[in-house]
Amino acid sequence: MSFWTDALRALQQVALLQHKVDQALTTAEETRRHSIETRERVIRLETLIDIAMKRQPPAPPAPPALPESPQAGS
């Protein structure tokens, strides 16, 4: 019966391997979906930043520098 025992053990290992492959495929699909969602969010953030930077009013010109007053006693 050693042959049948070995055959049954091999079938169990094949079934376990198939289960692990299915889990790995599920994990890979979830990771791919998460990556796509993250990329889309980053694109939206980049777009918002770009729009905000284009809408920002130009900085007002710097006020003219005041002339320095002469020091008394020099």
Side-chain angles (χ1 to χ4, degrees), residues 17-53:
L17 181 59
Q18 181 63 44
H19 177 70
K20 288 183 178 183
V21 167
D22 290 341
Q23 282 182 330
L25 289 173
T26 301
T27 301
E29 178 60 27
E30 290 172 357
T31 302
R32 184 188 71 82
R33 205 171 319 125
H34 179 71
S35 174
I36 290 170
E37 289 173 3
T38 301
R39 182 177 44 194
E40 290 172 353
R41 288 177 181 168
V42 168
I43 289 170
R44 284 194 297 263
L45 286 172
E46 288 174 339
T47 303
L48 287 173
I49 290 170
D50 189 44
I51 291 170
M53 289 178 73

